[in-house]
């Protein structure tokens, strides 16, 4: 029995939860693309399976929980014999990349960065210290780790043009190793746009975002303490409904009926609650990648007010579907204006649909990505020869990770032996 032509192994950092995070939506889009290209897919992760994860079996995707630093993964590689391996974030490449090289040296290795982790972490630290992120990321260990991972792979998927620019201009990474692949979304037809709830059918402001993600918690706290009181002063009857997966007690503590600040926690269907809201508020002060909540707002016909950081990489040269402002007083003023001016609101909705249809068109990005993958196979040997930095990093990483993994394996064996004695 011959093996299918294209076999993809996806090593997930977590099990994909499209309703919980933008990262989960991104992974689902990638899986759908590879299924559309007739790849046979196996999805594995060291994480415990989540009740909110998508049902991979229904998608005809095999899945398995794997162990770190364990030879059973080598056996799995030999059994699947993937010719493509997709690493979900650089940490999985660090953990399993060397085993892929040893067992499937011909497999094309693709890193999906999701967003640049070093950039997000540096921006958090820079915000707290009130200094430029550039003062931090060049010296940070996480930067060295993530950039090394990019060099060790045949291709890294970068979700934002701003991050592409940073990697090429500041870190001087060869563009051949990078590929811009944003969200791949269905276009919004005129009929679909007309079927969305209109201005009169909507109420309240909305804030939404996974609370395991520090930028989201910071934004909600910022809303509560500085922005919402200013909005509420102008619109005393308005409410802000706060949704987000994995809220902690400190999030629930912000709930205040009298102030119209309503914390709901996880939304059963994020799209539904977004379509019911009149304006989305996202005063994001640090982060990286593309903000899924703002893209979803555009799809839902919901204008938004956000910051320069929140809008990064989304609209390009097109007009935002609302306002991009960074000062709390101006943020509140524009939110009130958008909420109360039906004509302005309707223009913002159209701007959002234009961004989705021109910047994230699924067919366009899928076609280009399929062509890129075909070229990767064809030029693999030449590209690998040119990537000497990658070879060098691979060599050193292999040695250090190999010996560490063997040390852990021996340790586990000795534990078991001691337990039997």
């Amino acid at each position: 029995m011959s093996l299918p032509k294209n076999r993809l192994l996806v090593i997930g950092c977590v099990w994909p939860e499209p309703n919980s995070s933008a990262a989960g939506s991104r992974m689902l889009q990638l899986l759908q693309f590879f299924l559309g290209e007739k790849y046979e897919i196996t999805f594995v992760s060291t994480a415990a399976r989540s009740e909110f994860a998508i049902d991979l079996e229904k998608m005809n995707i095999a899945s398995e929980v794997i162990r770190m630093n364990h030879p059973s993964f080598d056996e799995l590689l030999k059994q699947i014999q993937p010719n493509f391996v997709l690493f979900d974030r650089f940490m999985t490449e660090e953990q399993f990349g060397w085993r892929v090289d040893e067992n499937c040296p011909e497999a094309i290795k693709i890193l999906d960065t999701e967003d640049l982790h070093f950039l997000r972490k540096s921006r958090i630290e820079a915000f707290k210290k009130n200094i430029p992120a550039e003062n931090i990321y060049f010296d940070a260990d996480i930067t060295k780790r993530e950039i090394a991972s990019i060099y060790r792979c045949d291709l890294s998927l970068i979700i934002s043009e701003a991050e592409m620019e940073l990697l090429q201009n500041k870190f001087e990474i060869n563009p051949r190793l990078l590929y811009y692949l944003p969200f791949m979304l269905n276009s919004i037809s005129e009929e679909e746009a007309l079927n969305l709830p209109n201005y009169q059918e909507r109420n309240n402001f909305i804030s939404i975002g996974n609370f395991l993600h520090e930028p989201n918690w910071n934004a909600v706290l910022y809303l509560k303490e500085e922005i919402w009181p200013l909005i509420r002063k102008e619109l005393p009857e308005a409410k802000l409904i706060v949704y987000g997966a994995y809220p902690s007690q400190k999030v629930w503590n912000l709930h205040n009926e009298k102030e119209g600040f309503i914390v709901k926690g996880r939304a059963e269907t994020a799209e539904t609650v977004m379509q019911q809201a009149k304006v989305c508020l996202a005063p994001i002060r640090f982060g990286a990648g593309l903000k899924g909540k703002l893209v979803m707002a555009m799809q839902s016909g919901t204008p938004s007010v956000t910051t320069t950081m929140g809008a990064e990489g989304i609209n390009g040269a097109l007009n935002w579907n609302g306002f991009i402002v960074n000062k709390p007083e101006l943020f509140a003023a524009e939110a009130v204006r958008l909420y109360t001016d039906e004509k302005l609101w309707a223009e913002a909705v159209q701007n959002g649909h234009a961004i989705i249809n021109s910047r994230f068109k699924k067919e366009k990005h899928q076609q280009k990505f399929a062509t890129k993958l075909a070229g990767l196979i064809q030029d693999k040997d030449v590209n690998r020869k040119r990537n000497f930095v990658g070879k060098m990093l691979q060599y050193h990483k292999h040695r250090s990770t190999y010996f560490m993994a063997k040390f852990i394996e021996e340790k586990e064996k000795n534990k078991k032996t001691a337990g039997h004695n």
Side-chain angles (χ1 to χ4, degrees), residues 158-169:
I158 312 300
I159 205 165
S160 158
E161 290 153 328
E163 295 183 1
M164 281 288 282
E165 198 177 308
L166 177 74
L167 293 171
Q168 289 179 50
N169 297 345

Side-chain angles (χ1 to χ4, degrees), residues 233-244:
K233 192 177 173 185
E234 298 298 316
L235 302 169
E237 299 304 312
K239 291 178 183 175
L240 171 59
I241 318 295
V242 179
Y243 292 96

Side-chain angles (χ1 to χ4, degrees), residues 14 18 42 63 93 114 130 137 141 161 194 228 236 252 269 278 298 339 341 347 352 357 380 413:
V14 292
T42 303
S63 67
E93 188 281 331
E114 293 285 1
N130 198 24
Y137 56 62
D141 286 350
E161 290 153 328
L194 287 169
W228 184 244
W252 291 115
T269 312
K278 197 166 273 186
M298 292 174 184
Y339 195 85
D341 186 332
E347 285 171 7
N357 290 350
K380 179 183 65 180
K413 278 182 197 169

